[in-house]
Amino acid sequence: MKTTLRLVIVIIVLTVALGSIFGWKYLKMQEMQEQNSQAQPPSPVEAVTIESQSWRPALSSVGSIRAINGVEVANEVAGVVSEVAFESGQRVNKGDVLIRLEDSVDRAALSALEAQAQLANETYTRYSNLLPRNAVSQSQFDEARANYQAARADSEQQRAQLNKKTIRAPFDGVVGLRQVDLGEYIAVGTPIVDLNMLDPIQVDYSVPERAVGQVAAGRSIELTVAAYPERVFDGEILAIAPSINESSRTLNIRAELDNTDGALSPGMFAEVSTLSASSRDVLTLPRTALSFNTYGDFVFQITENDQGQTIASRQQVTTGSTRGDVIEIIEGLSAGDQVVATGLLRLRDGQPVKVSDQGASESQATDNTGEEAKG
């Protein structure tokens, strides 16, 4: 009897406990359903307006910056450095002395040869005066003349050798890092310093053979480098190779750019856009407003639903060329349409949104600033 009573009590307690748990779960589910059924508040977003801009179609390539004149200055004769007349990174003019080698022995040799040439000249002059009077033979006169010419040539040769002891800048430019020291013995061909002419400067790049008809001498180019990602350098095509490279099937091109401020340096990797001769109107958007899924590129266009709510509607678009942080919209949107500028990951199709006036004005100001900088 006692065992039966205990069993009944346990069953009653378990029934009450389980009922309480299931009842609490049911109430929570009801609360969640009520919360889900309530309309979510609009999400604040920043908007940007589709704009029409005038673009010149461009052919994209990559290239390398090079100096018009760039050499590694070296010596033609061996010797000990007696003077260094430049500082690393200094701008020099054509003919400026870079270094001098010890030349006392060469100067003494030149003085001796010049004395011999002077003596030979006097003998030649004297024989020239005596020959008309038959005081000397023709052979003696010819020998005197030959001796003078040989002595003069020897002195000129020694003077040329002496001049090679002074190394000068072959053209205007900027020197690099000095690689020799005062008092150092340098053998023939020792690198002394790099010298580059930096203004103007050139870029070498190539285009595929199918684009041969899109390039011509004098055509404008735009260039960007990693060191200045926000800056666009303007130039024009200087020369085009007369033949296609058989190994790569590309056409080599050389363009020239102004480099007054020295921002571009030889050896820089460059992205080059060869501009078309004519321009066209395109619709543009910041690249941050664009997202991608398995069906292609899309944006969240700001529209109104049937209830008059402002919502973010997913819109597939077809894109074209890019220009910095701006991308061309070929299909899917019209001029004046508004799309969400940033934060696309937190949105879903049809979600109510509230356009932030402050964000929109800041975005518009940023776009205008970008256009002014580009212009």
Side-chain angles (χ1 to χ4, degrees), residues 319-334:
T319 60
S321 58
T322 61
R323 200 68 71 80
D325 293 331
V326 181
I327 190 168
E328 175 189 2
I329 303 299
I330 297 177
E331 188 177 332
L333 294 170
S334 302

Side-chain angles (χ1 to χ4, degrees), residues 14 17 25 41 52 61 83 99 110-111 139 153 161 164 200 244-245 262 275 292 322 335 346:
L14 291 174
K25 288 286 187 182
S52 178
S61 309
E83 180 186 355
I99 70 168
L110 177 60
S111 298
S139 62
Q161 186 74 7
K164 291 181 180 180
I244 301 294
N245 188 312
L275 304 181
F292 179 81
T322 61
R346 68 173 183 269

Side-chain angles (χ1 to χ4, degrees), residues 52-371:
S52 178
Q53 295 183 357
S54 179
W55 275 15
R56 294 173 67 181
L59 180 65
S60 298
S61 309
V62 294
S64 180
I65 303 295
R66 70 179 301 273
I68 293 181
N69 290 314
V71 296
E72 185 178 60
V73 180
N75 56 311
E76 293 185 59
V77 295
V80 176
V81 179
S82 61
E83 180 186 355
V84 177
F86 72 95
E87 296 294 336
S88 298
Q90 177 183 335
R91 182 174 296 276
V92 297
N93 297 319
K94 180 179 180 180
D96 286 352
V97 175
L98 299 179
I99 70 168
R100 297 183 193 274
L101 302 180
E102 207 288 322
D103 58 4
S104 57
V105 175
D106 296 272
R107 288 187 181 279
L110 177 60
S111 298
L113 290 174
E114 286 180 339
Q116 293 177 13
Q118 179 65 27
L119 177 60
N121 183 37
E122 292 175 356
T123 303
Y124 169 61
T125 302
R126 186 167 59 253
Y127 279 22
S128 298
N129 295 330
L130 295 175
L131 182 63
R133 293 179 289 179
N134 295 321
V136 294
S137 65
Q138 182 66 43
S139 62
Q140 288 176 316
F141 171 76
D142 293 340
E143 183 179 358
R145 182 176 56 185
N147 289 338
Y148 166 62
Q149 292 175 344
R152 188 177 61 179
D154 289 340
S155 64
E156 292 297 329
Q157 181 183 16
Q158 183 61 35
R159 182 176 290 106
Q161 186 74 7
L162 177 63
N163 290 337
K164 291 181 180 180
K165 291 294 184 76
T166 301
I167 291 88
R168 301 178 182 271
F171 50 81
D172 297 347
V174 178
V175 295
L177 302 180
R178 177 165 58 91
Q179 301 182 49
V180 297
D181 297 319
L182 191 64
E184 179 182 356
Y185 175 82
I186 56 176
V188 175
T190 300
I192 297 171
V193 69
D194 290 332
L195 175 62
N196 290 285
M197 182 183 289
L198 300 180
D199 183 31
I201 204 165
Q202 297 177 343
V203 58
D204 285 346
Y205 65 101
S206 60
V207 298
E209 62 176 330
R210 65 175 180 274
V212 170
Q214 302 178 38
V215 295
R219 187 71 54 83
S220 298
I221 70 159
E222 292 181 348
L223 180 145
T224 58
V225 293
Y228 308 98
E230 303 300 327
R231 183 174 175 183
V232 177
F233 298 87
D234 298 319
E236 67 176 30
I237 294 177
L238 186 65
I240 300 175
S243 60
I244 301 294
N245 188 312
E246 293 185 1
S247 59
S248 61
R249 300 299 175 186
T250 57
L251 181 66
N252 295 327
I253 299 174
R254 177 168 294 172
E256 189 170 279
L257 308 94
D258 179 72
N259 193 35
T260 306
D261 59 355
L264 299 176
S265 299
M268 276 184 168
F269 175 83
E271 296 183 3
V272 186
S273 297
T274 304
L275 304 181
S276 175
S278 58
S279 60
R280 59 188 175 91
D281 292 332
V282 297
L283 300 178
T284 60
L285 263 184
R287 298 178 69 175
T288 55
L290 205 66
S291 190
F292 179 81
N293 60 15
T294 54
Y295 300 101
D297 296 318
F298 70 91
V299 298
F300 280 104
Q301 184 178 358
I302 297 175
T303 59
E304 288 189 358
N305 59 13
D306 297 337
Q307 290 76 34
Q309 288 182 308
T310 302
I311 62 171
S313 176
R314 186 181 317 191
Q315 177 66 41
Q316 296 293 136
V317 294
T318 303
T319 60
S321 58
T322 61
R323 200 68 71 80
D325 293 331
V326 181
I327 190 168
E328 175 189 2
I329 303 299
I330 297 177
E331 188 177 332
L333 294 170
S334 302
D337 289 345
Q338 277 193 322
V339 300
V340 177
T342 58
L344 278 64
L345 294 177
R346 68 173 183 269
L347 294 179
R348 68 175 188 274
D349 189 26
Q351 180 177 345
V353 295
K354 180 181 179 180
V355 178
S356 171
D357 294 337
Q358 180 179 1
S361 62
E362 289 177 355
S363 176
Q364 186 67 26
T366 302
D367 292 343
N368 291 337
T369 302
E371 291 177 10

